Amino acid sequence: MSAIDEVMAAQREAMVREVEESAREHIGRRPLSPRALAALRAVPRHLFVPPQHLGNAYRNRPLPIGYRQTISQPLIVALMTDLLGLGPDDRVLEIGTGSGYQTAVLARLAEAVYTIEICAPLAERAARTFVELGLSNVHTRVGDGYLGWPEAAPFDAILVAAAPPEIPRSLLEQLKPGGRLVIPVGSGSQQLIVVEMRSDQSTVLREIIPVCFVPMTRQNDRPDES
Ligand code: SAH
């Protein structure tokens, strides 16, 4: 391991401990699963942040990644991953690739991850990082996540990393019976919601915590990407 890798590994370990603690203290829930924490330990977050933020890569906070988007806070990544309850054979759909950090965490736990990003330059950068990390079970697409990924559906789990005003029906339709959707919902204040799809196609909703995600946009309301 190079000296820089060692420093990053030590910082990553400290970050995971902080995430574990703040999940307990601030969210007041059962402990995060060892599998979710192991995935967080395994993914080099510093490879997903722009060079000017390298020094903050392992702080438990979101960071700008350009195009007015952010890499999610590690605590939220851990929580959403935990809520998906992934098994090794699961196929996951993710909306809002962003930096690709959350995608890489999911890729450690599931059989395959299908990830959609509406902002092409972000999608391309993330795809390069996946190749660099040898993550061969990640499939990327540039497009509007509202449409989901019908050719690869149905999914065992769906994670949405941008907030729509309400739960998109199209995504529920791509969820397997017994599957879980984890999504921030709301146009002013947002709630993180878990939707469980029962075998009779009925759904059970659970509100988890208030969150603050970027809005989920539609293809035709994209402002200039600068
Ligand atoms: N979890 C990511 C952060 C995602 S930020 C990370 O850790 O890096 C949310 C992302 O959702 C942004 O990159 C934004 O461009 C994207 N997004 C917004 N609306 C979308 C849509 N309709 N379809 C796909 N991606 C969308």
Side-chain angles (χ1 to χ4, degrees), residues 21-31 209:
E21 232 163 79
S22 59
R24 228 184 341 247
E25 280 175 21
H26 302 302
I27 309 182
R29 63 192 299 275
R30 64 178 169 77
I209 47 163

Side-chain angles (χ1 to χ4, degrees), residues 19-20 22-23 26-27 32 40 60 73-80:
V19 163
E20 218 177 339
S22 59
H26 302 302
I27 309 182
L32 293 167
L40 225 61
N60 182 23
Q73 183 189 9
L75 172 63
I76 297 297
V77 171
L79 176 64
M80 291 176 86

Side-chain angles (χ1 to χ4, degrees), residues 63-223:
L63 295 167
I65 54 171
Y67 307 93
R68 278 165 302 164
Q69 305 303 329
T70 54
I71 177 172
S72 306
Q73 183 189 9
L75 172 63
I76 297 297
V77 171
L79 176 64
M80 291 176 86
T81 304
D82 182 82
L83 290 168
L84 284 179
L86 296 175
D89 297 330
D90 284 354
R91 294 164 67 258
V92 188
L93 173 66
E94 180 192 35
I95 310 300
T97 317
S99 69
Y101 175 62
Q102 169 82 74
T103 322
V105 169
L106 299 176
R108 305 276 318 182
L109 299 172
E111 183 181 276
V113 184
Y114 294 78
T115 185
I116 308 177
E117 170 57 55
I118 206 164
C119 171
L122 283 178
E124 283 153 19
R125 190 163 68 198
R128 282 196 298 275
T129 314
F130 301 144
V131 171
E132 201 180 319
L133 287 172
L135 293 176
S136 53
N137 60 341
V138 175
H139 308 270
T140 59
R141 170 175 281 186
V142 178
D144 185 348
Y146 275 100
L147 304 174
W149 196 314
E151 314 88 282
F155 298 95
D156 299 285
I158 303 180
L159 184 155
V160 183
E166 47 198 59
I167 299 171
R169 176 164 295 281
S170 51
L171 296 183
L172 286 177
E173 285 167 0
Q174 295 185 21
L175 196 55
K176 269 190 201 167
R180 296 158 305 280
L181 165 67
V182 176
I183 183 169
V185 181
S187 33
S189 60
Q190 305 163 6
Q191 276 288 329
L192 187 63
I193 290 180
V194 178
V195 184
E196 280 172 39
M197 176 68 70
R198 290 214 181 119
S199 42
D200 63 359
Q201 303 286 315
S202 67
T203 51
V204 183
L205 262 68
R206 259 190 306 144
E207 286 193 356
I208 307 296
I209 47 163
V211 283
C212 185
F213 278 80
V214 296
M216 185 163 165
T217 52
R218 314 247 20 176
Q219 201 89 62
N220 52 9
D221 53 42
R222 296 295 292 171

